[in-house]
């Protein structure tokens, strides 16, 4: 994918979808973008999992009961949704994404691979960014670092991570997460920023 002027660079986009393997640090990179680039609108996902300590409804996620998530699916309110880690459902509310784009705001979704594949079907004009760990060993360290999982659980996580790493080729761009702020800046560099919409107007 190129913009015609720089054959080696992908065309920048107003909508960026950030995905990558579990434990690569997508959430941390998204938080760094939020902190340093308030002009970038970041989607707040709906989820059926309960909040963790410190998480605020409407800020980190919209925490919804199963019935509400069912309703959102039935009403076609979600741009994409998936069951993540066989545990809970997560989805991107469609309306706010469309409103942000209609208002000319650069927008970002931080979602899992299954979700990114669905958005690829419905919004192929988005730019799909794969966040990659500096090395396989580093990802393994982050995945099983706490050492609290059983041998079986560790094996399952590693198998999933290997599959997730193989998805890199489906993406337009890869960013290596060596350092969170650097990764965040690279990500924002891929977005079309609209300077007619300064942060204090948003
Ligand atoms: P956590 O529960 O740790 O906040 O997130 C678990 C996983 O859910 C992460 O891999 C994150 O990317 C993914 N996720 C968060 N929101 C969404 C969403 O709206 N859709 C999809 N498909 N995945 C999501």
């Amino acid at each position: 994918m190129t913009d015609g002027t720089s054959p080696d660079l992908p065309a920048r986009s107003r909508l960026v979808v950030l995905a990558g393997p579990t434990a690569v640090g997508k959430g941390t990179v998204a938080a760094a973008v939020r902190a340093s680039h308030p002009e970038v609108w970041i989607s707040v996902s709906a989820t059926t999992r309960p909040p963790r300590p410190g998480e605020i409804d409407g800020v980190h996620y919209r925490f919804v009961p199963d019935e509400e998530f069912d309703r959102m699916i039935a009403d076609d309110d979600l741009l994409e949704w998936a069951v993540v880690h066989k545990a809970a459902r997560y989805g991107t509310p469609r309306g706010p994404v469309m409103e942000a784009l209609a208002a000319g705001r650069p927008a970002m979704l931080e979602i899992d691979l299954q979700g990114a594949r669905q958005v690829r079907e419905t919004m192929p004009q988005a730019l799909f960014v794969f966040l990659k760990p500096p090395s396989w060993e580093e990802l393994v360290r982050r995945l099983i670092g706490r050492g609290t999982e059983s041998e079986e659980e560790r094996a399952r996580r590693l198998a999933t991570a290997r599959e997730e790493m193989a998805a890199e080729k489906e993406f337009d761009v890869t960013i290596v997460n060596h350092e969170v702020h650097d990764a965040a800046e690279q990500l924002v560099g891929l977005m079309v920023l609209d300077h007619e919409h300064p942060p204090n107007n948003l």
Side-chain angles (χ1 to χ4, degrees):
M1 186 173 176
T2 66
D3 63 9
T5 52
S6 325
D8 295 333
L9 293 174
R12 294 184 307 142
S13 176
R14 259 193 212 292
L15 177 61
V16 164
V17 178
L18 179 67
T22 309
V24 72
K26 295 180 299 258
T28 316
V29 169
V33 171
R34 187 180 284 118
S36 56
H37 291 275
E39 73 276 25
V40 174
W41 179 84
I42 303 180
S43 168
V44 178
S45 299
T47 182
T48 57
R49 84 150 162 77
R52 295 184 187 130
E55 284 184 333
I56 301 165
D57 186 38
V59 175
H60 299 96
Y61 283 103
R62 266 177 68 190
F63 297 99
V64 300
D66 266 311
E67 308 75 63
E68 172 69 2
F69 205 93
D70 288 342
R71 190 203 54 75
M72 292 171 108
I73 295 171
D75 291 351
D76 202 22
D77 282 351
L78 298 175
L79 190 58
E80 58 74 34
W81 69 273
V83 177
V84 180
H85 301 321
K86 300 197 177 119
R89 290 183 290 176
Y90 295 78
T92 304
R94 183 192 304 277
V97 178
M98 296 311 172
E99 281 164 28
L101 293 174
R105 285 191 74 174
M108 185 172 114
L109 315 181
E110 181 257 293
I111 58 179
D112 88 321
L113 287 167
Q114 310 166 75
R117 289 179 179 130
Q118 293 171 44
V119 180
R120 165 78 88 192
E121 295 298 313
T122 52
M123 303 187 87
Q125 73 280 21
L127 186 71
F128 293 81
V129 179
F130 187 82
L131 191 67
K132 191 179 170 178
S135 66
W136 170 251
E137 290 69 29
E138 176 60 21
L139 187 69
V140 171
R141 203 179 61 74
R142 291 183 198 175
L143 263 175
I144 63 178
R146 285 167 302 178
T148 48
E149 298 83 14
S150 64
E151 186 59 41
E152 193 188 343
E153 173 64 14
R154 276 207 295 276
R156 196 179 63 77
R157 288 189 180 209
L158 291 180
T160 306
R162 209 167 273 124
E163 259 176 56
E164 290 174 335
M165 288 288 280
E168 179 183 355
K169 55 185 181 300
E170 299 171 33
F171 285 74
D172 301 312
V173 191
T174 294
I175 292 178
V176 180
N177 191 14
H178 287 292
E179 197 281 318
V180 58
H181 294 101
D182 186 47
E185 286 310 311
Q186 286 185 49
L187 190 60
V188 172
L190 295 167
M191 308 190 81
V192 175
L193 299 179
D194 191 337
H195 299 291
E196 291 166 13
H197 293 265
N200 58 1
N201 279 349
L202 297 172

